[in-house]
Every structure is written in C-alpha cells, then in structure tokens.
Amino acid sequence: MRIPILKLHEYLLITIQVDLDDKTALQFQEDLLEKIHNTGAKGVVIDLTSVDMIDSFIAKVLGDVVRMSNLMGAKVVLTGIQPAVAITLIDLGIMLKNVPTALDLEQGLDKLKQELGG
Amino acid sequence: MDKLIIQMFNKNRQEIFNRWMEEMESIREDHRLQNISDKAYKDTNVEFFNIIFAHLERNEYKANDELTDFAEKLFQLGWRLSYLTQGLQNFRRIILSVLFDTEKSSTKVFDMFDEIDRWIDPIINQLINESAKNWENTVSIQKVALQELSAPLIPVFENISVMPLIGTIDTERAKLIMENLLTGVIKHRSQVILIDITGVPVVDTMVAHHIIQASEAVRLVGAQCILVGIRPEIAQTIVNLGIDLGQFPTKSTLYKGMQSALEMTKRKITETE
C-alpha cells in the first residue's frame, strides 16, 4: 500500500489515514524523497490526525524523513498528533527533537510559510 | 449462647452496668472526649450498654444493624473507633470477672469464657471492618475531589491557555496533568500553554521530569509551553539539582509569561482611547 502525496503550489501535503506498518512507512519515505526531488517542493506537511498508534520504528522513520527532507532543502512540519500518540512517544523516550509540529493542517501551513519566509 | 450465661447476665445486670459505667468514665480522656458534656457521654454509654445487652439476649454471633447503626452515628460525630472497641473489651472483662465470682466449677467457667470470647470477638472485628470501610470511603471521596481540583486548563485568550498547578505533584497527578493538557490543547486549539507553578511547593527532579515530559508532549501535538511562576527558591533548587530546563521558555510570573505568549501569537494589548 502506498500513501498518496499531494502537491499544492510549492508544498507537498500528506495525510496518513491508515495505521502505518513498517513496510508502508519505508515505502512512504522513498516516495516522499522522490517527490521532493521531482517537484522541487520547499515545504512538506505530514498530517497524522487519523493515526492512533505510532511505535518506535515508525517514529524513527518519521524523524529520519524529516531530517532527509531537510537535507534536500524541504522543511517538514508534523501536524495533528493525537494526545494518546504524544503520550506514547514521550513514554518511549522519543522526543522528535528539532521537528516542527502544529495543531492542524492550517496552522502547519502557516508555520511553513513563516519558516520559509523568515 | 448458653442459657446459663444469659441468666447470669440478667441477674447481674445492674452490677455489670455500674462497673462498666465506671470503667467507661475512667477511659474517657483517652478518647479525647473531654469536650463532650457529661450528660451526653453518659447517655451514649447507656445506649451503648443497652445495645450490647439486647444483642446478648438475641444470641447472635455478629454485630446486628442496631450496633452498626450506632457505630456509624458515632463515627459521623467524630468519636473514635477505640471508644467502641475498648467499651466492648471492658464489657468482656467485667462479665468475666462477674462470672468468676458466681461460678465455682472451673471447667464450666472455662466453657463460658470460651463462649463469651467467641461471641464478642466477631463483633469487635465487624466494628473495625465497618470503621475501616468508613475511612476508605472518605479517602476515596477525597481522592476524587482532589482529582477534580488537580489540573484545570483555562482558556484565557484565543490560542492561549493557562494551567495553574497548586500543591505537590506525584506521578499519578502528573499523568492527569499531561492528559488534561493534551486534550485541552486539542479542544481549545491552543498554540501557547502557560504552566503556572507558583503553587507548587517543591520542584525536585521528579516533578521537573514530569513537567518536561508534559511540555514535550504538548510540543508534539503542535503547541508550545511556557513555564511560569518560578520563585527564587525554585530557581535555586532547579539549578542546584542540575535540571536542564533550557529547551523551553520560562518566566518568573504569569504576567510576563502572558506577555511573551501574546508576542508569540503576534498580538498585543493596547489601551483604548
């Protein structure tokens, strides 16, 4: 299964609506980097509103994706992390440091604009 | 129970009563009941005695409703459990001594002794259980009340909320704080949360750890925490313990925190003409 990546002007939008398994996550990582390369996008918003569970591996992949995208010159914002997911991540000791976050897609886009503009 | 014992009780009722009342008067101070009027104390003792006696005649091996009701009433008035247990123990001592005076055959005395012991111990046990239950009830009610007061999240402006924390923070409460914080952020769509620790008496490594975790979690859901209300002594402990709070902003008062929160959401308060 592949996760659709939408292009909106110079941004890429991804809403993850299924529980990620390891394979899908890695596939997603490849797809996203490919897409950034092809489109030259400057910003990426990954929306996790409908994700109920994130394990340590998925968290690592997400952190990697953010760092890789940054290397390729695209800023990434994670949005809509659910309270339960946040608590799990903190309990697992995964702080996702240096990863910008926002409450929802709208604020995520605002944040991207702000970061790219500034 | 043995008919003989009951007969003996009825015959010596007045004597048992008098001696018991004397005993109860002598232990009054032990139960911090000096401030209760003499008459009230005496009336209660009489009632207590009558209940025990009535109980005896009914020949039951457990405390009946009458006794538990009586006990409950006393607990509510703030009397101590020890008054009841000591009352029963005194009662036992007195009837045993009366028994020794009247009965000469030692085997019979032993049988009766056994009988009385078996009769009175379950009653005492039941009273203790009852009282323990009473306390557990109170504790659990207070726990719920404490939980309700524990961690309120108050939306103050659009996108700015305040969580005032008062009192000691333990692990259980920290968990509640984290949950309320996160659900509140989503519910009120807050971007900045001010955590006010003015009322937290001690900030040790554990409390700091919980607060750091909570603010990290808040950052993950997409808002930011500012820790406010750091008193001088708290600042000293934090530094002396080597706790690193460098990663998120702190302010000395809620007022200053609110100012920087407004700055972060690109707003300011201006006076009207």
Side-chain angles (χ1 to χ4, degrees):
Chain A
M1 184 155 83
R2 299 170 89 136
I3 291 164
I5 301 170
L6 311 174
K7 181 173 168 296
L8 179 77
H9 303 300
E10 52 192 352
Y11 305 126
L12 295 178
L13 304 182
I14 302 106
T15 51
I16 297 175
Q17 301 192 339
V18 288
D19 276 341
L20 286 169
D21 59 50
D22 297 1
K23 220 174 126 195
T24 319
L26 289 172
Q27 179 71 49
F28 163 67
Q29 174 181 314
E30 254 174 57
D31 289 354
L32 178 63
L33 295 176
E34 190 70 22
K35 195 89 172 182
I36 291 172
H37 179 72
N38 288 341
T39 59
K42 285 186 193 163
V44 178
V45 178
I46 303 176
D47 185 58
L48 300 167
T49 310
S50 15
V51 176
D52 300 324
M53 207 268 307
I54 288 184
D55 62 21
S56 51
F57 181 77
I58 304 294
K60 179 187 166 292
V61 171
L62 282 175
D64 288 351
V65 167
V66 173
R67 271 203 300 280
M68 291 166 184
S69 307
N70 284 341
L71 281 176
M72 295 182 68
K75 286 244 179 288
V76 183
V77 176
L78 296 183
T79 63
I81 297 178
Q82 294 298 312
V85 174
I87 292 175
T88 322
L89 287 178
I90 297 297
D91 282 346
L92 289 171
I94 302 160
M95 301 296 187
L96 291 176
K97 286 214 169 75
N98 309 318
V99 180
T101 51
L103 204 57
D104 54 22
L105 192 61
E106 193 182 339
Q107 289 186 6
L109 281 171
D110 286 348
K111 196 155 193 167
L112 266 185
K113 252 181 214 155
Q114 199 183 316
E115 292 206 0
L116 291 172
Chain B
M1 194 177 307
D2 202 337
K3 282 223 173 55
L4 262 170
I5 303 178
I6 294 174
Q7 261 174 24
M8 192 269 297
F9 280 149
N10 283 330
K11 211 167 70 193
N12 297 305
R13 179 173 179 146
Q14 198 54 42
E15 193 198 339
I16 296 173
F17 177 74
N18 289 340
R19 284 173 66 177
W20 190 75
M21 287 302 271
E22 241 169 69
E23 289 264 357
M24 291 312 276
E25 194 59 42
S26 73
I27 59 162
R28 180 169 174 186
E29 278 191 13
D30 299 348
H31 304 297
R32 306 202 186 139
L33 294 169
Q34 299 98 310
N35 51 355
I36 287 168
S37 75
D38 287 351
K39 188 173 178 304
Y41 188 67
K42 204 171 168 208
D43 286 350
T44 312
N45 280 343
V46 172
E47 191 185 349
F48 189 17
F49 183 83
N50 286 336
I51 287 170
I52 302 177
F53 227 89
H55 199 298
L56 206 63
E57 283 173 341
R58 254 199 309 279
N59 206 357
E60 283 166 1
Y61 284 84
K62 63 180 181 60
N64 57 5
D65 294 345
E66 217 174 321
L67 189 58
T68 47
D69 285 350
F70 176 71
E72 204 163 299
K73 195 180 84 191
L74 288 190
F75 293 149
Q76 272 167 11
L77 290 172
W79 291 48
R80 295 169 140 212
L81 171 67
S82 55
Y83 163 80
L84 289 168
T85 51
Q86 209 161 357
L88 277 165
Q89 280 158 359
N90 283 342
F91 187 77
R92 165 163 60 187
R93 198 157 354 104
I94 291 162
I95 50 182
L96 287 179
S97 74
V98 170
L99 188 70
F100 290 139
D101 292 345
T102 50
E103 192 57 57
K104 294 289 174 268
S105 148
S106 60
T107 46
K108 222 169 192 177
V109 166
F110 189 78
D111 280 350
M112 286 172 151
F113 182 96
D114 190 50
E115 185 87 13
I116 288 165
D117 242 12
R118 255 192 249 186
W119 169 74
I120 226 157
D121 278 341
I123 298 176
I124 294 179
N125 280 344
Q126 195 170 346
L127 281 179
I128 291 171
N129 282 342
E130 203 75 22
S131 145
K133 234 188 276 167
N134 216 359
W135 277 112
E136 276 161 21
N137 225 347
T138 318
V139 169
S140 70
I141 287 170
Q142 284 179 347
K143 215 171 184 177
V144 170
L146 204 63
Q147 229 167 41
E148 286 166 352
L149 298 171
S150 194
L153 188 75
I154 308 157
V156 192
F157 291 107
E158 205 191 326
N159 300 343
I160 301 176
S161 300
V162 178
M163 178 174 277
L165 296 179
I166 291 169
T168 324
I169 297 171
D170 55 13
T171 313
E172 202 175 316
R173 192 168 170 210
K175 221 168 122 192
L176 199 77
I177 289 171
M178 170 119 69
E179 274 166 26
N180 282 5
L181 211 52
L182 295 179
T183 47
V185 167
I186 303 282
K187 190 171 150 207
H188 305 302
R189 301 181 48 79
S190 313
Q191 285 181 344
V192 183
I193 312 278
L194 298 154
I195 300 179
D196 181 28
I197 58 163
T198 316
V200 180
V202 188
V203 176
D204 54 13
T205 41
M206 194 203 60
V207 173
H209 172 75
H210 287 315
I211 293 175
I212 290 171
Q213 281 207 326
S215 60
E216 282 291 338
V218 166
R219 196 183 63 81
L220 283 181
V221 297
Q224 197 173 9
C225 274
I226 303 177
L227 195 61
V228 300
I230 299 184
R231 289 171 280 127
E233 61 266 31
I234 299 289
Q236 284 180 42
T237 13
I238 287 175
V239 172
N240 284 337
L241 289 171
I243 299 164
D244 181 22
L245 289 178
Q247 30 182 321
F248 61 99
T250 52
K251 288 279 180 287
S252 59
T253 58
L254 183 60
Y255 172 72
K256 285 185 181 156
M258 189 58 80
Q259 279 181 332
S260 62
L262 285 169
E263 263 169 43
M264 284 159 81
T265 50
K266 299 200 193 76
R267 274 175 295 179
K268 64 177 179 184
I269 295 178
T270 52
E271 284 180 31
T272 50
E273 298 287 314

